[in-house]
Amino acid sequence: MNGTILIVDDERGQREILQTILEGEGYRVVAAPGGREALERLEASEFDVILTDLKMQGMSGMELLERVLEADPLQCAIMMTAHGTVDSAVEAMKKGAFDYLEKPLERDNLLLTLRRAFERVNLLRENRILQKRLKESSGIPNIIGEHPKMKEVFRIVGKIAPTASTVLIYGESGTGKELVAKAIHDGSPRKEKPFFAINCAAIPESLMESELFGHEKGAFTGASSRELGIFEAADGGTVFLDEIGEMSVAMQAKLLRTIQSKEIRRVGGKVNIPVDVRIVSATNRDLETEIKRGGFREDLFYRLNVIRITLPPLRERGSDIAALADFFVKKYGAQAGSTVKGIAKPALKLIMDYSWPGNVRQLESVIERGALMAESDLIQPEDLPAEITEGLSLAGWVPFELPPEGIQFEELERNLIIKAMERVDWVIAKAAPLLGMSYKTLQYRLEKFGIEKPGLED
């Protein structure tokens, strides 16, 4: 089938002749005896091309054209006009008609005009598809990534940013969660309104409620004046709650009430104040596990987890490491006023082989240091911190001889896990990359070996 055409003409014979010719050419054709009937057909279906008479009883072809183009400016319409009314047809083209045909119609001229019309229709359709794909796959400002996992993040952000849905971003520390949250805000109808970010792990529990909801004068010692909280200040905009898993259960209940009622009450206040904010939250914890342990409210989780975005750690984006490193070289080379232009191959190999437990934030810090320390125009291995150079030298090397009687592998694994957990103060998300495991794998191993933080045993 070549495409769909709506014929509009109040002369029955003309409609039937056109329908016979065009169906014979493989087009799907629907005919309407007037403008009002044509609008009804357009309500029910889409047509690639509208072929309409200019002079008709009731609604004229010109009026039909104006109504159609008002609803869809890209609709392709061809006017049919009797000899002597060409001026009106030219006027129709000025208003947006694709072309006009003089009656009596010549078959070859009709088919040639339709072929040109469908070339335009197909071109516009391809352009729409390309624009849609481009929008879905386009990146996020300040985030570099060509890895498929990052392209999927970009695609999801492009689709959900214009909506009002709450978003929960999963990712290890340093993966760029706040940049993604800002991109969601900037791609939404709220982009002209405020964007506020708060790290729930950085604010003492005693101050969290005041920080979020504000307080009245005299609400507590030191409250010498009324202060607006982040929710009230961000009215109409977006609030980003980073490390939401660190929020106390009591504070979670107050946050849930705010989300449900769309109102806040300042500390020490008696009046409920309506607020309109979009909430984007982030965590490096497994909240489902926290729910089972009683550390996170299940009802709040489902409110926050309407859309989930998972940011991959840098070690899973190997193809992006070199591009990120090059970006940071340009950034910090220029800032320091140095002559550093790149990274020497031996140093780049160290960077590519390192596991990056601190993710992109750690890589940025390492390159900033390298740019400052470099004595030449290239960052050399000696310009990198010890954890990078030692990380490679220990890779694939066992720091002891195997005894003749062998070893108890599970006991060795248990001791390594305990050592890693102690090193990072028993934070699973930080210990997992040290051991080359995923969060869930390490969690399984901890349960398997019955390993718990000292002081937590019954």
Side-chain angles (χ1 to χ4, degrees):
M1 187 180 70
N2 291 333
T4 57
I5 300 173
L6 174 62
I7 297 171
V8 190
D9 199 313
D10 56 0
E11 294 180 22
R12 181 179 176 184
Q14 184 73 24
R15 292 198 306 273
E16 290 176 349
I17 291 170
L18 283 170
Q19 193 160 358
T20 301
I21 292 171
L22 297 179
E23 284 179 347
E25 292 294 321
Y27 294 107
R28 185 173 72 83
V29 181
V30 173
R36 300 202 179 282
E37 293 86 350
L39 291 175
E40 289 174 6
R41 305 281 195 282
L42 286 164
E43 282 285 327
S45 305
E46 290 185 2
F47 295 89
D48 296 318
V49 175
I50 299 172
L51 189 59
T52 178
D53 195 12
L54 185 62
K55 299 265 185 182
M56 294 186 291
Q57 296 292 323
M59 183 184 293
S60 70
M62 190 74 79
E63 188 183 345
L64 173 62
L65 175 71
E66 290 173 353
R67 295 274 294 273
V68 166
L69 294 181
E70 184 181 351
D72 181 5
L74 297 179
Q75 177 67 63
C76 186
I78 299 171
M79 308 301 292
M80 297 183 291
T81 176
H83 183 70
T85 57
V86 172
D87 288 346
S88 297
V90 171
E91 181 65 24
M93 288 185 66
K94 287 179 181 177
K95 290 186 175 181
F98 174 73
D99 205 343
Y100 71 91
L101 295 166
E102 283 191 68
K103 290 184 175 180
L105 302 181
E106 295 182 7
R107 186 177 186 279
D108 290 346
N109 193 30
L110 166 68
L111 297 178
L112 179 62
T113 303
L114 281 172
R115 271 199 295 274
R116 287 194 303 106
F118 274 95
E119 283 174 7
R120 176 178 180 269
V121 167
N122 292 331
L123 193 63
L124 285 171
R125 185 177 291 130
E126 287 172 11
N127 189 45
R128 282 175 177 173
I129 293 169
L130 285 172
Q131 290 286 351
K132 185 172 182 289
R133 286 178 181 168
L134 183 63
K135 188 175 181 181
E136 288 181 352
S137 64
S138 61
I140 295 174
N142 301 317
I143 294 186
I144 293 171
E146 288 296 321
H147 190 278
K149 288 185 178 180
M150 289 306 296
K151 287 190 172 182
E152 177 64 9
V153 169
F154 300 155
R155 188 187 71 81
I156 294 171
V157 169
K159 286 185 82 72
I160 60 96
T163 72
S165 299
T166 55
V167 182
L168 181 58
I169 305 169
Y170 273 88
E172 294 176 9
S173 180
T175 49
K177 297 189 287 292
E178 185 170 342
L179 290 175
V180 172
K182 186 67 168 64
I184 291 169
H185 172 75
D186 290 343
S188 76
R190 299 172 179 265
K191 63 183 177 183
E192 302 301 328
K193 298 292 185 177
F195 172 87
F196 280 96
I198 182 170
N199 189 322
C200 300
I203 298 172
E205 185 180 341
S206 58
L207 298 178
M208 179 62 80
E209 185 175 2
S210 173
E211 189 76 18
L212 290 179
F213 306 137
H215 63 257
E216 297 289 353
K217 181 179 179 180
F220 49 83
T221 304
S224 57
S225 63
R226 171 189 283 175
E227 293 287 343
L228 297 186
I230 281 175
F231 271 74
E232 207 171 339
D235 191 37
T238 303
V239 172
F240 173 53
L241 302 172
D242 198 7
E243 305 302 350
I244 188 75
E246 304 294 332
M247 184 180 283
S248 70
V249 175
M251 194 63 224
Q252 290 172 29
K254 293 172 182 176
L255 175 61
L256 176 65
R257 188 174 66 243
T258 296
I259 294 172
Q260 290 172 329
S261 66
K262 296 185 178 179
E263 292 179 334
I264 59 104
R265 181 181 292 182
R266 300 189 194 111
V267 177
K270 297 179 180 178
V271 178
N272 289 341
I273 302 164
V275 290
D276 169 29
V277 297
R278 181 184 194 176
I279 295 177
V280 179
S281 52
T283 183
N284 59 14
R285 291 192 177 193
D286 185 334
L287 293 186
E288 284 98 334
T289 300
E290 291 298 316
I291 290 168
K292 292 174 185 174
R293 293 177 178 174
F296 203 85
R297 292 182 63 108
E298 187 172 17
D299 45 5
L300 177 60
F301 172 75
Y302 288 118
R303 285 281 184 175
L304 299 175
N305 192 44
V306 176
I307 303 290
R308 181 187 297 211
I309 296 174
T310 302
L311 285 178
L314 187 55
R315 63 184 172 277
E316 292 180 9
R317 298 170 51 194
S319 57
D320 286 340
I321 293 175
L324 282 162
D326 184 59
F327 172 79
F328 292 134
V329 164
K330 290 181 173 64
K331 176 181 176 181
Y332 290 106
Q335 279 185 15
S338 68
T339 58
V340 173
K341 296 176 182 176
I343 305 170
K345 284 187 178 180
L348 184 59
K349 186 176 190 318
L350 288 169
I351 288 167
M352 295 295 291
D353 289 340
Y354 186 62
S355 62
W356 299 107
N359 294 294
V360 180
R361 189 183 295 134
Q362 183 189 9
L363 174 62
E364 182 173 4
S365 175
V366 165
I367 299 299
E368 182 181 10
R369 179 189 189 278
L372 291 169
M373 299 295 292
E375 297 289 336
S376 68
D377 60 354
L378 295 177
I379 294 175
Q380 302 292 340
E382 57 267 27
D383 301 322
L384 301 174
E387 68 262 22
I388 309 297
T389 52
E390 288 173 4
L392 183 67
S393 63
L394 291 174
W397 177 68
V398 181
F400 56 82
E401 290 294 327
L402 290 173
E405 67 275 16
I407 60 168
Q408 293 294 321
F409 187 78
E410 288 202 348
E411 187 63 26
L412 173 64
E413 183 182 5
R414 188 178 191 279
N415 290 335
L416 284 170
I417 290 172
I418 292 172
K419 193 168 185 65
M421 292 294 287
E422 288 174 343
R423 181 173 168 181
V424 297
D425 196 27
W426 294 84
V427 177
I428 299 176
K430 293 180 180 177
L434 293 178
L435 296 163
M437 298 179 184
S438 69
Y439 185 103
K440 288 187 176 178
T441 300
L442 177 53
Q443 197 171 52
Y444 168 75
R445 295 281 206 280
L446 289 168
E447 292 172 0
K448 174 185 173 184
F449 293 122
I451 299 171
E452 292 184 345
K453 184 177 181 179
L456 294 182
E457 295 91 342
D458 295 330

